[in-house]
Amino acid sequence: MTASSSPPTAVTEQARTLIEPELRAAVAGLDPHLGRAVGYHLGWCHPDGTPTPAPGTGGGKAIRPALTLLAATSVGATPHTALPGAAAVELVHNFTLIHDDMMDGDELRRRRPTVWKTFGAATAILAGDALHTLAFTALARHEGPHTPRATRTLSRAMTELVSGQTQDLAFVRRPWQGPAAVTIPEYRSMAAGKSGSLLGCAAELGAVLAGAPHRTTAAFGRAGRHFGLAFQCVDDIIGIWGDPRETGKPVLADIREGKKTLPVLAALAAPVPAAAELADLLTTPRPDEAALRRAAELVEEAGGRRFAERESRHHLERGLACLAEADTQGTARGPLIDLIDYLGRRTS
Amino acid sequence: MTASSSPPTAVTEQARTLIEPELRAAVAGLDPHLGRAVGYHLGWCHPDGTPTPAPGTGGGKAIRPALTLLAATSVGATPHTALPGAAAVELVHNFTLIHDDMMDGDELRRRRPTVWKTFGAATAILAGDALHTLAFTALARHEGPHTPRATRTLSRAMTELVSGQTQDLAFVRRPWQGPAAVTIPEYRSMAAGKSGSLLGCAAELGAVLAGAPHRTTAAFGRAGRHFGLAFQCVDDIIGIWGDPRETGKPVLADIREGKKTLPVLAALAAPVPAAAELADLLTTPRPDEAALRRAAELVEEAGGRRFAERESRHHLERGLACLAEADTQGTARGPLIDLIDYLGRRTS
C-alpha cells in the first residue's frame, strides 16, 4: 500500500468542492453550539468555532458524494442534478461517524479528538441527530420530479445502515468459538448493512435524481453495494495491519478491541494449527502487546488476510460488472476506476 | 387536576388505532434486536420480545398524530390521507424520547425502565436513530402529490427540535443568577424548538397532506406551535408539583435536577423576598428533601406557578385563535377542544 490518506482523484476533489456550499447551508440553520460541534467534526473550525486554516482538507474523503455525482453524469445528467443526493449521503456518513465513534468509545477521528470526546456525549448525540435530519433536508430542499423516489431510496438505506451497525455491536459480545460464534455469512450480512447500504445508496441516488430507468438505478445500487463491501474488507485489513501514523488509531486496534472482522473470522475458520493457537490467544483475558502482535501474525499465517484481500477483489470485480451494465456509455468508468483504485490502496 | 394518565378523547384513541399498523410495518423492517428495543419502548413487548398483554395502552398518548388527523379532516380530507404524517410525528416523538431519556439520565418512562437503562446506551442511540429514519420512511411510503412538501415540513421541524433540545441541555450548565442566567425569552425560544416545533409540525402536516392552501397550513402550524408551548408549561408544572404516582418520576424531579423551567425562572425574576430565598436555596450544593420542598413552596409563593399557568392559558387561547382562522368550517374545533382540555388537565 502506498502512504496516502488524502483524496487521490479529481472526482473526489470536485465532489467536495460542489457539496461544501450545500453542507454549509444545511448546518447554518442549527443552534450555534450544535453548529460548532458539527463544523468541528467536518474540519471547518476548532472547538471554539474559529475557522481552521484549510477547512477543505479535514472533512473526510468525499467518496460517497463522488459516487453520486459520477452515477448522475454517466447517465447524461449534470452534476448539479445530483447535488442534493451527494450532500445527503455525505451528511448521513458524518452522522454515523459521530454516533459510531461514541458507541465504540473511539477517541480519535481524522487525527483529532472525536466529537463526544471534545463536546461530551449529549452534544455528540444531538450533532448526529442534526446531521441525520439535515440529510433529508438537503434532499428535499431542491425539489425535483425524482425527489420522492430519492427520499425513499435514502430512508431505506438508512434503515439498513442502522441495522448493520446494531449487528456489528452485537458481534462484540459474542464468543470467538462454539455454536454462538459469529459466522462469515453473518459478517457479510452485517457488512452489507453497515458499509454496502450507504455506498449503494450513494450510487443509486445519483441515477435516481438523473431520472434513469429502474433497471439502471438498480444496477448502480448493486455496484455501489459491492464497492461498499470491498471498502469494508480493506477497512478490516487496515484495522489490523494499518500504520498508526496513517490511520490515527492505535496499532492492532481491531484485535485490541476484539472486533469480529473478516480476516480474524476467516483465520479462525481455517483448518490449520494457527487457527487453534489464535483462538486460544483471543480468549486470553487482557492480552499484552506481544500477544496482540502474535495474534495478528497468526491471522496472517492462517490465511485470514489473504481471504479478506480476495473477498475485496471479488466485490470490486462484481461492482465493476454491475457498473458496466448500468453505465452503458462508459463515461463513469474511468473516473470510477480511479476512485476504486484509491479504495483498494488507501491506508486510512 | 384530575388523576388521569390514559388518553381521554375518542380522537387520541382513533389516532392510536389508525397509526398502529403503520408503526408496526415500519418497525418490522429493523434488525430483530433493535426491533425488540423499539417494541419495548412503544409498549408492545417485554425486553425479551414477548408481547405485552395490552399493547395498546403502553405507548404514550398519541396526541401528535391525533392533531395531524384532526387538521386533515377539518379541511375535508379523510384521516387516511394524513396517516403517513400521523405515523411520522409519532415516530419522531418516540425517537426524541429515547435519546432525551438517555441524555437526561432518566431511568423511568411510562412507569417502565427506559430503553438505555434496559438495553444499554448503544442500543438506545441506535433505536432512536432507527425511529428517526423510519419517520421519513413512513412519510415517503405512500407517495402522494404533497409528499415532498410534507417531507420539507417534517425535516424543518426536526432541525428546530434538535436545536431546542440542545438549548435545554445547555441551560443546565448555566447559573441561576447573574448576567449568564437563563432569561425568560431564552426559555421561550428553547420551548418553541423543543415542544412547539413538533406539535406545530403535527398540525401542519395534516393540512399539507390534505392539500390545503399555504395560508391554511401555516395557520395550523401556528396553532400547533401554541399548543406545544402550552403543553411545555403544563409539563413544567407537573415536573415540580406532579404526583409521583401519576408521573412515574421522583417527587420534585425538575427541582432536584436543577432544570431551568418556567415556574422557577419566573419566580426568580419576581421582585419579592421569596425570590432571593429561592436563589439561595437553588445554589446550595446537594440540597436535602426538605430544602427541595421549601424551594417548591418559594416558587409558588413568588408567583412562578401562577406565571406558568397564565402562560399556558395564553398559548391555548392563541392556539385556538389560529385554529379558528385555519379551520373555517369548525369541524375540528370540538374534538380539538377535548384534546386541549386534556393537555391542560393532564397529570403525567
Side-chain angles (χ1 to χ4, degrees):
Chain A
M1 293 187 198
T2 60
S4 162
S5 59
S6 60
T9 67
V11 184
T12 56
E13 269 312 314
Q14 188 205 20
R16 191 210 291 276
T17 307
L18 282 174
I19 63 168
E20 189 169 319
E22 298 286 314
L23 301 187
R24 290 200 183 255
V27 173
L30 295 179
D31 163 87
H33 174 70
L34 216 48
R36 266 196 303 280
V38 168
Y40 168 78
H41 172 79
L42 293 171
W44 298 342
C45 64
H46 298 292
D48 65 359
T50 54
T52 46
T57 58
K61 304 180 201 78
I63 289 163
R64 290 158 195 81
L67 203 51
T68 307
L69 301 180
L70 277 174
T73 51
S74 83
V75 294
T78 61
H80 190 81
T81 315
L83 218 46
V89 293
E90 189 65 2
L91 288 162
V92 168
H93 175 55
N94 283 289
F95 138 60
T96 61
L97 292 181
I98 292 176
H99 279 191
D100 288 1
D101 282 343
M102 195 183 141
M103 289 184 282
D104 295 341
D106 286 340
E107 302 192 354
L108 282 176
R109 159 79 50 198
R110 298 164 188 159
R111 293 156 218 272
R112 299 195 306 166
T114 44
V115 173
W116 72 268
K117 192 77 189 160
T118 309
F119 294 90
T123 300
I125 294 177
L126 290 164
D129 291 347
L131 289 176
H132 187 163
T133 278
L134 290 178
F136 288 99
T137 310
L139 204 51
R141 209 159 69 100
H142 308 278
E143 191 185 332
H146 310 295
T147 306
R149 203 174 141 206
T151 305
R152 278 199 303 278
T153 303
L154 181 67
S155 68
R156 201 179 50 227
M158 290 182 73
T159 307
E160 252 197 274
L161 183 59
V162 173
S163 290
Q165 176 65 12
T166 305
Q167 289 174 280
D168 194 26
L169 282 173
F171 285 179
V172 175
R173 292 190 300 273
R174 286 172 58 184
W176 287 107
Q177 284 191 303
V182 178
T183 64
I184 291 177
E186 284 181 309
Y187 167 91
R188 287 178 177 136
S189 151
M190 175 281 293
K194 194 183 157 183
S195 299
S197 63
L198 191 55
L199 266 87
C201 171
E204 190 173 344
L205 270 185
V208 164
L209 289 169
H214 179 75
R215 211 170 49 103
T216 307
T217 60
F220 270 114
R222 283 196 304 276
R225 185 173 281 267
H226 282 299
F227 297 148
L229 285 162
F231 191 93
Q232 186 58 52
C233 294
V234 176
D235 230 35
D236 283 1
I237 293 168
I238 292 172
I240 301 177
W241 295 281
D243 182 343
R245 284 167 303 179
E246 288 294 327
T247 63
K249 290 185 177 176
V251 66
L252 303 162
D254 283 356
I255 292 202
R256 206 178 289 268
E257 292 171 22
K259 283 211 169 175
K260 307 290 189 298
T261 62
L262 187 60
V264 182
L265 295 177
L268 285 172
V272 293
E277 193 188 330
L278 175 63
D280 284 346
L281 261 180
L282 290 171
T283 49
T284 308
R286 275 183 291 281
D288 59 14
E289 185 89 16
L292 295 173
R293 286 194 184 284
R294 179 70 189 139
E297 277 170 26
L298 289 166
V299 173
E300 191 141 14
E301 208 176 307
R305 183 172 183 160
R306 254 192 331 274
F307 187 96
E309 284 167 350
R310 222 168 26 232
E311 180 114 346
S312 172
R313 262 198 310 279
H314 161 79
H315 283 300
L316 289 178
E317 281 158 19
R318 291 282 301 276
L320 286 170
C322 294
L323 192 72
E325 202 184 310
D327 171 32
T328 46
Q329 304 181 344
T331 51
R333 196 175 163 81
L336 251 171
I337 285 178
D338 281 358
L339 188 66
I340 286 158
D341 183 46
Y342 169 65
L343 292 185
R345 69 181 163 79
R346 78 203 165 85
T347 55
S348 69
Chain B
M1 294 186 196
T2 61
S4 162
S5 59
S6 60
T9 67
V11 183
T12 56
E13 269 311 315
Q14 188 205 19
R16 190 210 290 276
T17 308
L18 282 174
I19 63 169
E20 190 170 318
E22 298 286 313
L23 302 187
R24 289 200 182 256
V27 172
L30 295 179
D31 162 88
H33 175 69
L34 216 48
R36 266 195 304 279
V38 167
Y40 169 79
H41 172 79
L42 293 172
W44 298 343
C45 64
H46 298 293
D48 65 359
T50 54
T52 46
T57 57
K61 304 178 203 81
I63 290 163
R64 291 158 194 80
L67 204 52
T68 307
L69 300 180
L70 277 174
T73 51
S74 83
V75 295
T78 62
H80 189 81
T81 315
L83 218 46
V89 292
E90 188 66 1
L91 288 163
V92 168
H93 174 56
N94 284 289
F95 139 59
T96 62
L97 292 180
I98 293 176
H99 278 192
D100 289 0
D101 282 342
M102 196 183 142
M103 290 184 280
D104 296 342
D106 287 341
E107 301 191 354
L108 282 176
R109 159 79 52 196
R110 299 166 188 159
R111 294 156 217 273
R112 299 195 305 165
T114 44
V115 174
W116 71 268
K117 192 77 190 161
T118 309
F119 295 90
T123 300
I125 295 177
L126 290 165
D129 291 347
L131 289 176
H132 187 163
T133 279
L134 290 178
F136 288 99
T137 310
L139 204 51
R141 210 159 69 100
H142 308 278
E143 190 185 332
H146 310 295
T147 306
R149 204 174 140 205
T151 305
R152 279 199 302 278
T153 303
L154 182 67
S155 67
R156 201 179 50 227
M158 289 182 74
T159 308
E160 254 196 273
L161 183 59
V162 174
S163 290
Q165 176 65 11
T166 305
Q167 288 174 280
D168 195 27
L169 282 173
F171 285 179
V172 176
R173 291 189 302 272
R174 286 172 57 185
W176 287 106
Q177 282 190 303
V182 177
T183 65
I184 290 176
E186 284 181 308
Y187 168 91
R188 287 178 178 138
S189 151
M190 176 282 292
K194 193 183 159 184
S195 300
S197 61
L198 191 55
L199 265 87
C201 171
E204 191 174 343
L205 270 185
V208 164
L209 289 169
H214 179 76
R215 210 171 49 102
T216 307
T217 60
F220 269 114
R222 283 196 304 278
R225 185 173 283 266
H226 281 298
F227 298 147
L229 285 161
F231 191 94
Q232 187 57 53
C233 294
V234 176
D235 231 35
D236 283 0
I237 293 168
I238 292 170
I240 300 177
W241 294 282
D243 182 341
R245 284 167 303 181
E246 288 293 328
T247 62
K249 290 185 179 177
V251 66
L252 302 162
D254 283 356
I255 293 203
R256 208 178 288 268
E257 292 172 22
K259 283 212 169 174
K260 306 291 189 298
T261 63
L262 188 59
V264 182
L265 295 176
L268 286 172
V272 292
E277 194 187 331
L278 176 63
D280 283 347
L281 261 180
L282 291 171
T283 49
T284 307
R286 274 184 291 279
D288 59 14
E289 185 89 15
L292 294 173
R293 286 194 184 283
R294 178 71 189 138
E297 277 169 25
L298 289 166
V299 172
E300 189 141 15
E301 208 176 308
R305 182 173 183 159
R306 254 191 332 274
F307 188 97
E309 284 167 351
R310 223 167 26 231
E311 181 115 345
S312 172
R313 263 198 309 279
H314 160 80
H315 283 299
L316 288 178
E317 281 158 18
R318 291 281 302 275
L320 286 171
C322 294
L323 193 71
E325 203 184 308
D327 171 31
T328 46
Q329 304 182 344
T331 49
R333 196 174 162 83
L336 252 170
I337 285 179
D338 282 357
L339 188 64
I340 286 159
D341 183 47
Y342 170 65
L343 292 184
R345 69 181 163 78
R346 77 204 165 85
T347 55
S348 69

